Amino acid sequence: MSQKSEEESKEVLESIVEVVKEVSALPECPVPWKKQYCNLVRRVKLLSPFFEELIDCETPLGELEIQALVSLKAALESARDLLRSVNEGSKLYQALNWEKNANRFHEVTEQLEKALSQISFDKLDISEEVHEQAELVHAQFKRAKGRLDTPDLQLYMDLNIARSKKDPDPIILRRLLEKLHLRTIDDLKKESVALHEIVISADGDPGDYLEDMSGLLKNLKDCLLAEDPEIAASGGGKCLPKHRSPVIPDDFRCPISLELMKDPVIVSTGQTYERSCIRKWLDAGHKTCPKTQQTLSHTALTPNYVLKSLIAQWCESNGVELPKRQGTCKNKKAGNCVSDCDRKTIDALLGKLLNGNPDEQRAAAGELRLLAKRNADNRVCIAEAGAIPLLVELLASPDPRTQEHAVTALLNLSINESNKSSIVNAGAIPDIVDVLKNGSTEARENAAATLFSLSVIDENKVAIGAAGAIPALIDLLCQGSPRGKKDAATAIFNLSIYQGNKVRAVKAGIVAPLMRLLGDAGGGMMDEALAILAILASHQEGKLAIGMAEPIPILVEVMRTGSPRNRENAAAVLWSLCTGDVQHLTTARVLGAEEALKDLTENGTDRAKRKAGNLLELMRRSVETVVSQ
């Protein structure tokens, strides 16, 4: 490839990485595009390791690959512009133009899918993990382009009713204020300015909605002022209350009734509602979560004891009458996720976690640990009952056994995919890392396993690495029991898929212990050591650190006698070391690597055959260069 093409590919990739960073830095998802917005941002962010590896890749890209990346760059820029546009401007205008914006999201999805389909991932010299992740994102875009999004039905109905009536029901207006996050007079002023800008940018003709929006905006403002006249005199910055005094926190109000919750319960999506309100919704035949519009995986209602206790404390502090306890149905309907016996046990254990003495908390955490291990249904219901924040608090317990129970319970709960996000959102990562550093032997091992489980989600890889987990994992890799070493190695491998963590691992001194494990044939850690070395060698700093450890003799030996997977990883490491380094290439040839590589091209895995073929070609060119000189 010409120098001009190399410069072009580098320029395109750097531009793409910059666009991905801009998308990643965008603020929280806006209403009413939360689902579409989050999905698009998440998928773009998941492509980040792919682009970073391409930048570090020393194998030049072909013309077709560069053209495909140019198309992908244009698609990503369209995605960024769309995400920015829904973050700015009038919320009312966007909500009323739902179909138009839905089409824009669909068009961007199609554009990204088409651009990704032009890339031959098999021909690129990228790690297997990044390859699989890029293919997964492509598959997600392919599925997404075949689906049409549905609107937030509650918001859509409320907007239609509010537009069609001169004096809409205040409850509907109140719900719109909440849905659109128009909670202060300042918010409404910004909305008014945004509408004015729409008129200007559209040359005075923004569509049929202008008159509707102006009238609706006036009604929303009147509703806001009626809730608390003091807002008008306060300069507009005061947040919207439900009652004049005291102001009820948003999290304490039911999303359906907007009233203070007396008996908060959690549905399968993790959202909390007043029991009587969500029960009416379900009894009416609805199968979705009112707030998120997600399909409910089951209709079990799990008491939110944590929130109920916080509401009680708030009521007592503010002189509000404590909500009266409402009766619950003792005869559970079909479809509940656990037996009556287990449900009662979970409810009782959470009460002990919340209000028990240290001995009771230790025992309760231990029982939750076992229940979470027993089956998938228990893991769902324990989390929905509000156990995760309480278990995270116990990670800081001075009692080693309590700490061990808590981290192991979180490990078992994290097997459920939706629980992973709940655990991270509860602020668990720094505390888990602290247990990894200072806990008992079993607690440290289970902390490492928990971090591995959480790191399945790519965003968590960044957070776990930033929390200082990698040096502690390396320490466990060196000093732990056989099981502890396995847990540490799998966590390090998964975290190192993210480029930034490769650098952290190298700087923390990972290469020396990996080489020791590689040289200990009876230690049972050769597979893990080689897998980690292969992924680190794809980064320049990792390549340099591995090269300094003189690994070539043992890599050649593994290529001769190792298992198929180890032979593949040894060839991958050797390929990274020898690319652009004549000294390593010469050393490998002197040690007889050619014979092992030729055997790999015939009997190795597909990836091993590719790496071995590339290495043999490098050696052939090297010999020709020497002869010609």
Side-chain angles (χ1 to χ4, degrees):
M1 185 174 70
S2 66
Q3 184 177 354
K4 182 179 179 181
S5 296
E6 286 186 27
E7 292 174 354
E8 182 183 0
S9 66
K10 183 178 180 182
E11 183 179 341
V12 171
L13 283 168
E14 288 176 348
S15 298
I16 287 175
V17 169
E18 189 60 35
V19 173
V20 173
K21 286 180 180 178
E22 291 174 2
V23 170
S24 302
L26 288 171
E28 188 181 353
C29 315
V31 176
W33 299 105
K34 185 169 186 177
K35 179 181 176 183
Q36 296 86 346
Y37 184 100
C38 284
N39 284 340
L40 185 53
V41 169
R42 176 175 54 80
R43 289 167 186 152
V44 170
K45 287 167 70 174
L46 285 174
L47 288 171
S48 181
F50 168 61
F51 300 129
E52 290 176 353
E53 281 211 4
L54 283 184
I55 287 179
D56 291 334
C57 178
E58 297 183 2
T59 304
L61 299 176
E63 292 296 333
L64 292 177
E65 285 85 359
I66 295 174
Q67 290 175 15
L69 288 173
V70 170
S71 298
L72 184 55
K73 173 176 172 285
L76 287 167
E77 287 172 343
S78 297
R80 176 199 59 197
D81 294 343
L82 172 58
L83 292 167
R84 282 177 174 172
S85 71
V86 299
N87 245 314
E88 301 164 355
S90 166
K91 296 176 181 179
L92 275 175
Y93 185 74
Q94 289 184 29
L96 290 167
N97 282 274
W98 195 94
E99 187 174 355
K100 177 182 176 182
N101 281 325
N103 289 334
R104 292 177 66 199
F105 271 102
H106 195 257
E107 288 168 3
V108 164
T109 298
E110 287 185 327
Q111 190 180 356
L112 285 164
E113 191 281 326
K114 182 179 179 181
L116 286 169
S117 67
Q118 296 172 10
I119 298 176
S120 299
F121 296 105
D122 291 334
K123 296 181 180 179
L124 299 175
D125 187 28
I126 55 177
S127 66
E128 188 173 350
E129 295 75 26
V130 169
H131 181 179
E132 290 175 355
Q133 185 167 304
E135 292 278 19
L136 174 63
V137 175
H138 183 205
Q140 290 175 348
F141 276 119
K142 189 176 293 186
R143 286 196 300 270
K145 79 170 187 176
R147 294 194 301 260
L148 288 177
D149 295 310
T150 55
D152 181 334
L153 296 179
Q154 181 71 64
L155 176 61
Y156 195 70
M157 288 187 294
D158 285 345
L159 279 169
N160 283 334
I161 293 171
R163 288 168 56 204
S164 63
K165 294 186 177 181
K166 184 177 180 181
D167 296 310
D169 188 332
I171 293 177
I172 290 176
L173 293 174
R174 185 64 174 72
R175 207 154 47 212
L176 286 173
L177 288 167
E178 287 296 317
K179 282 273 189 180
L180 297 173
H181 290 200
L182 300 172
R183 292 171 176 154
T184 69
I185 291 295
D186 281 343
D187 291 338
L188 291 174
K189 286 180 179 177
K190 290 177 184 176
E191 182 69 13
S192 178
V193 171
L195 288 177
H196 181 66
E197 290 176 352
I198 290 173
V199 175
I200 294 173
S201 62
D203 295 324
D205 182 22
D208 299 330
Y209 296 120
L210 178 59
E211 187 174 347
D212 288 344
M213 287 188 291
S214 298
L216 183 52
L217 194 61
K218 181 180 182 300
N219 287 333
L220 290 172
K221 182 178 180 181
D222 291 342
C223 176
L224 183 61
L225 293 175
E227 290 286 348
D228 190 349
E230 293 179 9
I231 293 179
S234 69
K238 186 177 176 182
C239 288
L240 174 64
K242 177 61 189 174
H243 300 291
R244 295 186 185 180
S245 180
V247 177
I248 300 174
D250 289 342
D251 291 339
F252 293 174
R253 289 178 291 165
C254 173
I256 297 175
S257 68
L258 301 177
E259 298 289 347
L260 180 68
M261 286 186 277
K262 302 176 179 64
D263 189 8
V265 293
I266 306 170
V267 297
S268 66
T269 59
Q271 299 295 327
T272 297
Y273 299 92
E274 173 63 32
R275 183 186 293 274
S276 60
C277 294
I278 191 62
R279 176 50 60 198
K280 287 179 183 177
W281 172 269
L282 295 173
D283 290 345
H286 297 291
K287 304 294 184 184
T288 58
C289 172
K291 189 171 183 179
T292 67
Q293 296 301 307
Q294 291 175 278
T295 300
L296 297 171
S297 59
H298 58 77
T299 56
L301 302 179
T302 308
N304 191 335
Y305 287 109
V306 175
L307 184 59
K308 190 169 186 176
S309 174
L310 292 172
I311 291 173
Q313 293 174 21
W314 178 84
C315 288
E316 187 174 351
S317 300
N318 290 275
V320 176
E321 184 180 355
L322 288 171
K324 295 180 180 179
R325 182 181 181 84
Q326 295 187 352
T328 58
C329 178
K330 294 182 180 179
N331 298 319
K332 309 290 182 180
K333 295 188 176 182
N336 280 349
C337 58
V338 293
S339 68
D340 286 349
C341 178
D342 278 353
R343 181 177 296 284
K344 290 176 182 176
T345 300
I346 291 170
D347 290 350
L349 291 173
L350 260 66
K352 290 180 181 179
L353 283 187
L354 188 61
N355 300 312
N357 60 42
D359 290 338
E360 290 173 330
Q361 288 181 327
R362 183 195 312 116
E367 290 186 56
L368 284 171
R369 165 185 180 174
L370 296 176
L371 280 172
K373 185 178 181 180
R374 183 180 299 171
N375 59 54
D377 289 339
N378 280 352
R379 288 190 279 275
V380 171
C381 291
I382 289 170
E384 290 179 346
I388 288 174
L390 300 177
L391 290 168
V392 171
E393 286 185 18
L394 291 182
L395 292 175
S397 170
D399 178 62
R401 192 65 178 163
T402 300
Q403 190 181 72
E404 182 183 305
H405 287 327
V407 76
T408 311
L410 289 171
L411 168 61
N412 294 335
L413 289 171
S414 72
I415 296 170
N416 178 284
E417 287 303 307
S418 62
N419 287 349
K420 297 183 197 296
S421 296
S422 300
I423 291 169
V424 173
N425 291 337
I429 289 177
D431 291 323
I432 296 172
V433 172
D434 192 59
V435 174
L436 177 65
K437 293 176 179 177
N438 305 308
S440 65
T441 299
E442 184 175 352
R444 293 180 69 206
E445 292 171 353
N446 289 339
T450 306
L451 291 175
F452 164 70
S453 178
L454 296 178
S455 68
V456 170
I457 298 175
D458 285 278
E459 291 87 342
N460 294 346
K461 292 180 176 68
V462 182
I464 293 169
I470 290 176
L473 288 168
I474 294 173
D475 183 64
L476 184 62
L477 182 68
C478 296
Q479 309 295 335
S481 65
R483 180 198 150 196
K485 289 180 178 180
K486 292 277 186 182
D487 289 333
T490 53
I492 291 169
F493 174 84
N494 217 37
L495 290 171
S496 295
I497 293 173
Y498 171 61
Q499 290 288 89
N501 287 338
K502 294 177 185 177
V503 177
R504 289 189 175 102
V506 171
K507 290 183 177 178
I510 184 71
V511 173
L514 288 177
M515 292 304 301
R516 287 196 295 270
L517 294 173
L518 196 57
D520 183 8
M525 290 294 294
M526 182 176 285
D527 294 4
E528 290 82 0
L530 266 172
I532 296 172
L533 284 170
I535 201 168
L536 293 177
S538 65
H539 192 282
Q540 184 62 25
E541 289 195 34
K543 173 180 172 178
L544 291 173
I546 295 169
M548 293 174 65
E550 300 182 353
I552 295 180
I554 194 166
L555 291 175
V556 173
E557 181 61 26
V558 171
M559 286 194 301
R560 288 196 187 105
T561 63
S563 67
R565 179 62 69 183
N566 285 350
R567 295 178 76 199
E568 173 189 312
N569 282 327
V573 176
L574 190 60
W575 156 250
S576 295
L577 294 176
C578 292
T579 304
D581 193 309
V582 176
Q583 183 176 347
H584 285 321
L585 194 62
T586 302
T587 302
R589 190 171 61 249
V590 169
L591 291 171
E594 283 179 281
E595 182 181 349
L597 290 169
K598 288 176 182 177
D599 183 66
L600 268 182
T601 59
E602 297 176 2
N603 303 310
T605 64
D606 289 343
R607 181 174 177 235
K609 289 177 180 178
R610 269 199 326 271
K611 297 296 183 182
N614 290 337
L615 273 166
L616 287 170
E617 179 63 19
L618 279 178
M619 288 180 178
R620 184 185 64 78
R621 291 179 183 174
S622 175
V623 171
E624 289 178 354
T625 301
V626 171
V627 171
S628 65
Q629 290 175 348

